[in-house]
Amino acid sequence: MNKLLDETLSIKIAELINSRASTPFDNAYKAALSTEGARYIQGFLAFAGKPYRPVEHSWIELGDASDICIIDPTLPHLNKDPQELWYFAAHSLTIKKLKAIIEESKEDYPEDDPLPIYGDPPYEYYGDVMLGGQDYLTAYQAAEAKCKEINELNPERN
């Protein structure tokens, strides 16, 4: 299964929800709520150049199992060539599940931001940071390998 980034729809939805540069999780949450049939995805973004490691990120996906496209409402703020972005999903939520988790989080931890959502313990470590379950570690390691590959292949662009 190949997931392609839909640049046009990403920009259109970014404008619709008034996305902001430093809030990929909120951007994806708003995009998910405003897009019929969307799934909210958390994971990692890999690209050439600084910070030379995966960036925790969120986006939405549309489509069925055989034809899924990525919609990134933070895309206009990334200042990267969309053809040189690689997305590694760690956590996928339906809108119904996403709303339920957000509501519960706001009740249980009103002082904390409910996003990002890391799932159930036990949590795994990547580097010296604890984050999510085994699925996060797997996605992080795949994104880390991609970062190393693209930064070694293109040292003049770093």
Side-chain angles (χ1 to χ4, degrees):
M1 167 180 57
N2 189 20
K3 297 179 184 179
L4 297 175
L5 174 65
D6 186 324
E7 297 171 51
T8 304
L9 193 50
S10 293
I11 292 166
K12 180 179 175 185
I13 290 175
E15 291 170 356
L16 175 75
I17 65 163
N18 195 24
S19 76
R20 297 188 332 244
S22 61
T23 60
F25 301 101
D26 288 335
N27 293 341
Y29 175 68
K30 291 175 188 172
L33 295 180
S34 67
T35 308
E36 182 79 27
R39 289 186 64 83
Y40 172 88
I41 311 295
Q42 287 180 184
F44 299 93
L45 186 60
F47 48 83
K50 292 181 181 178
Y52 306 107
R53 59 179 162 63
V55 174
E56 192 176 9
H57 198 65
S58 191
W59 59 93
I60 63 172
E61 292 181 355
L62 291 173
D64 59 29
S66 63
D67 185 30
I68 295 175
C69 73
I70 293 170
I71 309 300
D72 186 347
T74 310
L75 180 65
H77 309 289
L78 295 177
N79 300 317
K80 300 284 181 191
D81 179 348
Q83 304 302 316
E84 296 177 0
L85 297 172
W86 289 269
Y87 293 81
F88 296 86
H91 198 56
S92 174
L93 296 168
T94 64
I95 303 308
K96 182 179 179 179
K97 180 77 171 168
L98 176 62
K99 285 180 177 179
I101 291 171
I102 296 292
E103 189 175 305
E104 181 180 344
S105 296
K106 285 181 177 179
E107 286 177 17
D108 293 348
Y109 307 101
E111 66 283 349
D112 294 336
D113 190 346
L115 293 170
I117 299 165
Y118 293 116
D120 299 322
Y123 296 130
E124 300 291 335
Y125 285 85
Y126 68 97
D128 59 352
V129 179
M130 182 173 68
L131 178 72
Q134 180 62 43
D135 50 352
Y136 272 87
L137 182 60
T138 301
Y140 180 81
Q141 289 170 336
E144 184 178 44
K146 187 64 175 181
C147 282
K148 286 179 182 174
E149 172 193 329
I150 58 182
N151 284 303
E152 287 173 4
L153 289 176
N154 301 302
E156 69 281 351
R157 294 171 61 198
N158 297 331

